[in-house]
Amino acid sequence: MNNTKYVNINIGSVNCRSLYKQSQQSTTDDFIAMLKNKKLNILLCQETNIPNHSFEEIINNMEIKFKYHQAIWTEHCSIINFNNAINLEKIKISTDGRMILSKLTFVDNPTTPFYIMNIYAHSGHVQRQERNNLFKDIVNILLSMPEILPHLIMAGDFNYSFDSGSRHGSRIRKSKELVQFMAGYMKDCMNQEGEGYGPTCRQNRQGRISLSTIDYMFAGKELFQRMNGGDVEFFGQEFTDHALLTKTLTIEMYNCGKGIWRANPYLCKNKRYVSILNREIENYVQNKLNPELSTQDQWDCLKNMVKKVTTNFCRTTNQIRETTLKKLNSERNRILRLYRDNKECLNILLPDIETQISKLQKEKTDIARLRSGKYWMENNENSPSYIKRTIDQRREARTLNMIKHP
C-alpha cells in the first residue's frame, strides 16, 4: 500500500534593510510581527546587518521574537525555519557570509530533500568586482554538486537585474558565469517569460522614485513544476524599500499514513462503553464481516469498526458531560443563592453536587492531560533512551514501506 499526500511549503524572501535597527527597536519589533503574520514556513532575509561584536546576543533575541524552529544566521543574511516537521541543515556559507546553502528534509518522511540558497550580493558600482566574484564562487559550488540542482531554490537580493531592458542591469557589467548557469539550470519563479519584470525595489532618491528588479526567486527544473501561487508585496518605507517575494512549494509525500490512532485508555473502565463495544463487535463479526477477505483485511475492517464506535461514543459522552456540567453548575449556583445564609442546608445539599462536578472535571482534565502528553513528559522526561525509542517507533508507524513480491 502506497499512500500519498501533498504538503504546501510557503517560502518568502525579503531584503530587510537592516533587520536589526539598534536605534529603532519598536520598528524592528513591528517589522518582525508583520513578517510572522505572513504565516511562512521558510523565510529568507537579506541585509540583516547584525554586528559581530554582539552577534550571539542579537541572534538569541531574534529567536525569542521570531519564535522559530531553526535558523542559520550570518552577518548579512539568514534562513529561518518555522516548521517543526522540517529539518534545516547547513551545507555551505560563503567566506563573507553573503551566501547560505542549506538542505531541508522532512522529519517523519523519506521524501527527497530540497535545497535553498539565500544570496545577498554586494551593491553599487564600487563593489561590482566583489559581486561578480561572489557569483563566480556560487556557480562553482553548485556545479560541484550537480545532484542538488533540480531540487534547488535560489533566492535573495542579487543587486543585479536579469532584465536585459533594465537600466539597472545595463549599468552593471554582467556576470557571464551566472547568466549562463541560470539559463541552463534555473527558472524564474516570479517573472514569466515574454512578460515585463515587476519591480522589487522602490527607492526615493532626492525626491525621485526609482524602481528596479534586483530581488529574485529561482527554482531548479524539477522544483519549478511544483512552485505555485506567489506574490510581491511592499512594506512601508520605514521598514524596507524592498518587496517580500512569496511562493508556495507543493511537496508530494509518499508512504505517509495518518499516524497512530489511540483510544482513550480510561474507556476500559467505562462499563457502558465495554458493553456497547462487545455488542457491536459480535454483531459486526456475525452479520457484516466478509469471510472471503484475507485475515489481514478482516483485521483492518474490524479495527476501523472499533475506531468508529469509539469515536461516536466519545463524541456523545463529551456532549453529555458538558451538558451535565452546565446543569450541575446552574443547580449549585441556585442553591448558593437560595441558602447562602443557611449553612446547614448548604452542608447538606452542596457536597453531592460538588462531588459530581469534581468527577466530571477530573475526566476532562485526564483527557486533556493525555492529549497534551503532560503525563508522558512527567514520567519519562528523564529518560532520553525512552524518548528516542518512542520517536523511532512513531516514525516507523507513520511510514508504510513498499511491499515487494518475494
Side-chain angles (χ1 to χ4, degrees), residues 225-321:
Q225 306 299 325
R226 306 177 188 178
M227 302 290 280
N228 49 74
D231 193 18
V232 178
E233 178 183 356
F234 282 94
F235 296 101
Q237 287 290 307
E238 67 272 21
F239 301 115
T240 179
D241 45 19
H242 290 254
L244 171 68
L245 312 184
T246 57
K247 204 74 178 176
T248 300
L249 170 65
T250 301
I251 297 291
E252 191 174 15
M253 300 181 68
Y254 301 97
N255 300 332
C256 185
K258 295 182 179 180
I260 300 174
W261 176 82
R262 293 181 175 87
N264 183 350
Y266 292 105
L267 291 175
C268 297
K269 301 177 182 180
N270 190 312
K271 295 181 180 180
R272 181 167 167 265
Y273 168 75
V274 173
S275 175
I276 292 174
L277 184 61
N278 286 335
R279 186 176 65 249
E280 291 293 333
I281 291 176
E282 184 178 354
N283 178 60
Y284 186 81
V285 172
Q286 291 179 357
N287 303 318
K288 298 181 180 180
L289 188 61
N290 186 354
E292 296 180 359
L293 295 175
S294 65
T295 303
Q296 183 62 51
D297 289 339
Q298 290 185 29
W299 176 237
D300 289 339
C301 291
L302 186 61
K303 287 191 294 183
N304 287 332
M305 185 278 298
V306 171
K307 178 180 178 181
K308 184 176 180 180
V309 171
T310 304
T311 304
N312 290 337
F313 179 86
C314 290
R315 186 179 295 115
T316 303
T317 303
N318 288 339
Q319 292 173 352
I320 294 174
R321 184 188 300 113

Side-chain angles (χ1 to χ4, degrees), residues 134-190:
L134 174 65
F135 290 154
K136 186 175 181 179
D137 291 341
I138 289 173
V139 171
N140 291 334
I141 291 171
L142 293 177
L143 289 178
S144 68
M145 296 183 285
E147 68 280 1
I148 77 170
L149 297 181
H151 312 285
L152 173 67
I153 295 174
M154 294 177 65
D157 180 2
F158 287 71
N159 271 307
Y160 171 88
S161 178
F162 290 87
D163 183 4
S164 57
S166 168
R167 292 180 58 192
H168 191 277
S170 62
R171 292 198 305 266
I172 299 175
R173 192 174 69 182
K174 296 184 180 298
S175 170
K176 294 181 180 179
E177 294 86 358
L178 181 66
V179 172
Q180 292 174 359
F181 175 83
M182 290 298 190
Y185 297 98
M186 309 299 291
K187 287 184 173 292
D188 193 334
C189 297
M190 309 304 301

Side-chain angles (χ1 to χ4, degrees), residues 46-86:
Q46 303 91 43
E47 199 176 351
T48 49
N49 288 351
I50 299 177
N52 287 325
H53 60 79
S54 53
F55 186 85
E56 293 297 330
E57 178 184 351
I58 295 173
I59 294 308
N60 292 334
N61 191 28
M62 289 295 173
E63 182 177 2
I64 295 172
K65 292 181 178 181
F66 272 110
K67 297 180 180 178
Y68 53 71
H69 173 52
Q70 294 171 306
I72 302 172
W73 292 87
T74 71
E75 178 186 353
H76 299 290
C77 55
S78 66
I79 300 179
I80 301 174
N81 172 25
F82 294 98
N83 194 326
N84 293 339
I86 298 176

Side-chain angles (χ1 to χ4, degrees), residues 369-390:
R369 185 182 292 114
L370 283 171
R371 289 179 174 175
S372 67
K374 182 178 180 181
Y375 182 81
W376 176 83
M377 288 299 295
E378 287 176 349
N379 286 273
N380 302 286
E381 63 181 0
N382 294 323
S383 175
S385 61
Y386 176 88
I387 295 173
K388 182 180 185 302
R389 185 168 65 253
T390 303

Side-chain angles (χ1 to χ4, degrees), residues 381-403:
E381 63 181 0
N382 294 323
S383 175
S385 61
Y386 176 88
I387 295 173
K388 182 180 185 302
R389 185 168 65 253
T390 303
I391 293 173
D392 292 341
Q393 290 173 351
R394 186 170 298 177
R395 183 181 296 114
E396 291 175 2
R398 291 177 61 88
T399 303
L400 302 176
N401 295 323
M402 188 71 68
I403 299 176

